[in-house]
């Protein structure tokens, strides 16, 4: 159903942002930061202030954690409970 698709979409977005970071694109100065801010704004739209916790990705060496994937899972769970 469309509801299930949206749940998986949040997770897919989180995984995509983490892959971008892990592939090294996230390590390029400024570009990596812009990507992290874009991801934070995406998750802010769906989970509120919790989405901004992803901004820890801006701290060097913290971006090795799958933060965006975790927020994608959180967004999917929150979306499912809302319906």
């Amino acid at each position: 159903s469309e509801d299930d698709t949206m749940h998986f979409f949040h997770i897919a977005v989180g995984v995509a942002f983490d892959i971008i970071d892990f592939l090294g694109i996230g390590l390029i100065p400024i570009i990596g930061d812009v990507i992290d801010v874009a991801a934070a704004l995406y998750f802010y739209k769906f989970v509120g202030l919790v989405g901004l916790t992803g901004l820890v990705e801006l701290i060097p060496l913290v971006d090795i954690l799958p933060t965006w994937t975790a927020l994608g899972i959180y967004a999917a769970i929150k979306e499912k409970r809302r319906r």
Side-chain angles (χ1 to χ4, degrees), residues 24-33:
I25 298 167
L27 298 175
I28 300 170
I30 300 175
I31 294 174
D33 294 341

Side-chain angles (χ1 to χ4, degrees), residues 19-37 57-58 63:
I19 287 172
I20 289 169
D21 269 349
F22 294 149
L23 289 178
I25 298 167
L27 298 175
I28 300 170
I30 300 175
I31 294 174
D33 294 341
V34 169
I35 291 169
D36 288 336
V37 170
E57 290 278 331
L58 296 172
D63 59 355

Side-chain angles (χ1 to χ4, degrees), residues 2 6-7 9-10 16 19 22 26 30-31 42 47 51 53-56 59-60 67 75-76 78:
E2 188 175 320
M6 193 59 181
H7 298 133
F9 185 75
H10 292 311
I19 287 172
F22 294 149
I30 300 175
I31 294 174
Y42 172 84
V47 297
T53 60
L55 292 175
V56 300
I59 301 170
T67 308
K78 186 172 181 177

